[in-house]
Amino acid sequence: MRVSIICVLILGFFSHCLCDRLNLVGTNNNIFNVMQYGAHGDGKTDDAQAFLRAWNSTCAAQGSATLVIPANKIFLVTNLLFNGGDCKATSINIKLQGNIVAPSKEAWKDTSHWINIEYINGLTIDGTNTGGLDGHGSTWWPCKTCPRPVVLSFHSCNKLNVNGLRISNSPGAHISINGCDGATFSNVLVNSPGTSPNTDGFDISSSKNILIKDSTIHAGDDCIAINGGSSYINATNVACGPGHGISIGSLGKGKSHEEVEEVHVKNCSFTDTTNGARIKTFPGGSGFARKITFEQIQLTNVKNAIIIDQHYGIKIDAESAVQVSDVTYQGFSGTGAGDLAINLNCESCLNIVLNKISIVPSQPKTQLHTICKNFHGTITSTVPKVTCS
Ligand SMILES: *[C@@H]1O[C@H](CO)[C@@H](O)[C@H](O)[C@H]1NC(C)=O
Ligand SMILES: *[C@@H]1O[C@H](CO)[C@@H](O)[C@H](O)[C@H]1NC(C)=O
Ligand SMILES: *[C@@H]1O[C@H](CO)[C@@H](O)[C@H](O)[C@H]1NC(C)=O
């Protein structure tokens, strides 16, 4: 207790954290610094084992425990798995103040994920604007046929809270959320080039009660992808672009049955993205995407600002389709690029509402078009004008 009070006092005067050193001498209050466990932080030595030893102590602590990855250091780690299944600690906080970097492609041990966090309830991760995760994706991107790993994967983590995380250059998706109930991500910065392949910002599946807010996503694929088995997913105050927009699906691939409901996207912006609000389903699938709202959306030079594509992947006519229903697009304004501003390419659409949509061309002397097929719903105050067939 006394040490932490001293730390707080000292921190008030010095920008460098002397706590690290104090911890090295031994005393701590359930604070486990990776440096105590042999991490080098030199950006060259593989610190994965040190991280795992520190994780083991954090996990085994009584009460609440904190794992510290200190500032002003670069930690090279190969793969990490933090499994909370057998933890004694009742709540765990990870303070990510330094930088964690991935090795180049050849040195990866697990090519599906880099940092895996699973079976932890009540985990909080606090980042800072100095540190973060760098997936060294540039060594992967040229390989078009490689299955590209996810940088940070959460599986079966309930009551998760991630704040201030910076994550860049992922080989594949930046953050994957699977099988989680209750997660808030705020002030997250995802940063990869628009040309980097398959680098989704967030990839959500089989999860519920997820909120992404006050965040910025620059990616080479979907800013947020919401996949099957997900419900009560909100995105608020998110700036997306470059990227492929916020996507529900694709759903129904390989005739699968998939369900997504209660998705609410509010006060988000799209800048230079290839899509804005997108729902995509494969012909032949079943299930639904329903109770979805996109509102207060600012557009800058966006292709396909509103798109429902029920012929995703294949263009064939199939007997079944994932049903898209109760979807509202309200309050879209700004500029569109390309040909199409609104594409409602439906197969099974019910109660789709477009209201107060105003999209003008970003380039002078160009025109924006719309497509609307098999549509059931209402369209009011919408520019460009939508005519359904
Ligand atoms: C962490 O704990 C697990 C389970 O107790 C053990 O198998 C593993 O070897 C430990 N890892 C390290 C790096 O100490
Ligand atoms: C998600 O958005 C809906 C609709 O705006 C709102 O009713 C709900 O409270 C939001 N949930 C969270 C966790 O933000
Ligand atoms: C909308 O989002 C922007 C930035 O993303 C933020 O500055 C603004 O406060 C938000 N507005 C509301 C009403 O939440």
Side-chain angles (χ1 to χ4, degrees), residues 214-215 236-239 267-269 296 298:
D214 306 326
S215 293
T236 309
N237 304 356
V238 172
N267 189 34
C268 292
S269 67
Q296 277 176 257
Q298 299 92 45

Side-chain angles (χ1 to χ4, degrees), residues 116-341:
N116 265 294
I117 299 183
E118 51 187 46
Y119 306 106
I120 310 179
N121 291 335
L123 172 69
T124 61
I125 300 180
D126 294 314
T128 59
N129 51 18
T130 54
L133 308 178
D134 188 324
H136 213 154
S138 59
T139 60
W140 287 86
W141 299 329
C143 177
K144 300 292 174 210
T145 54
C146 293
R148 293 190 209 86
V150 171
V151 158
L152 178 62
S153 161
F154 296 98
H155 171 67
S156 283
C157 289
N158 303 329
K159 299 204 172 76
L160 171 67
N161 209 313
V162 177
N163 183 37
L165 177 67
R166 292 158 63 101
I167 176 164
S168 56
N169 302 317
S170 182
H174 291 79
I175 299 172
S176 143
I177 303 164
N178 172 261
C180 297
D181 181 354
T184 300
F185 289 82
S186 44
N187 302 302
V188 172
L189 171 63
V190 165
N191 199 4
S192 287
T195 51
S196 57
N198 310 115
T199 53
D200 287 348
F202 287 82
D203 223 327
I204 302 171
S205 59
S206 303
S207 294
K208 57 186 175 181
N209 302 312
I210 311 295
L211 170 62
I212 299 169
K213 65 174 185 179
D214 306 326
S215 293
T216 300
I217 303 169
H218 309 300
D221 206 315
D222 296 333
C223 287
I224 302 175
I226 300 159
N227 297 299
S230 301
S231 57
Y232 297 92
I233 311 295
N234 284 17
T236 309
N237 304 356
V238 172
C240 162
H244 296 184
I246 296 184
S247 266
I248 292 164
S250 52
L251 302 177
K253 190 175 186 174
K255 302 193 172 175
S256 60
H257 178 98
E258 294 190 288
E259 302 179 349
V260 170
E261 66 181 332
E262 298 284 2
V263 174
H264 302 288
V265 176
K266 191 172 181 180
N267 189 34
C268 292
S269 67
F270 295 101
T271 306
D272 300 322
T273 54
T274 58
N275 302 280
R278 173 156 71 155
I279 299 175
K280 47 184 178 177
T281 70
F282 279 87
S286 63
F288 53 77
R290 68 186 183 197
K291 300 183 183 162
I292 294 161
T293 57
F294 289 96
E295 54 186 330
Q296 277 176 257
I297 307 293
Q298 299 92 45
L299 307 165
T300 308
N301 200 38
V302 173
K303 294 178 180 160
N304 306 302
I306 294 177
I307 172 167
I308 297 177
D309 182 2
Q310 294 212 269
H311 298 94
Y312 191 69
I314 29 176
K315 302 290 167 208
I316 56 145
D317 285 325
E319 275 157 29
S320 66
V322 175
Q323 187 170 76
V324 177
S325 66
D326 304 310
V327 182
T328 298
Y329 302 89
Q330 174 150 293
F332 280 56
S333 67
T335 59
D339 257 359
L340 276 174

Side-chain angles (χ1 to χ4, degrees), residues 49 52-53 56:
Q49 288 309 309
L52 292 174
R53 286 190 292 268
N56 274 7

Side-chain angles (χ1 to χ4, degrees), residues 75-144:
F75 300 94
L76 175 76
V77 302
T78 46
N79 296 92
L80 287 180
L81 168 62
F82 292 164
N83 183 326
D86 295 322
C87 286
K88 290 203 178 61
T90 48
S91 72
I92 294 177
N93 175 224
I94 298 177
K95 289 210 184 308
L96 176 57
Q97 294 159 344
N99 285 286
I100 307 180
V101 300
S104 60
K105 182 171 174 294
E106 298 66 42
W108 284 57
K109 290 181 182 148
D110 172 344
T111 54
S112 60
H113 304 97
W114 179 38
I115 300 177
N116 265 294
I117 299 183
E118 51 187 46
Y119 306 106
I120 310 179
N121 291 335
L123 172 69
T124 61
I125 300 180
D126 294 314
T128 59
N129 51 18
T130 54
L133 308 178
D134 188 324
H136 213 154
S138 59
T139 60
W140 287 86
W141 299 329
C143 177
K144 300 292 174 210

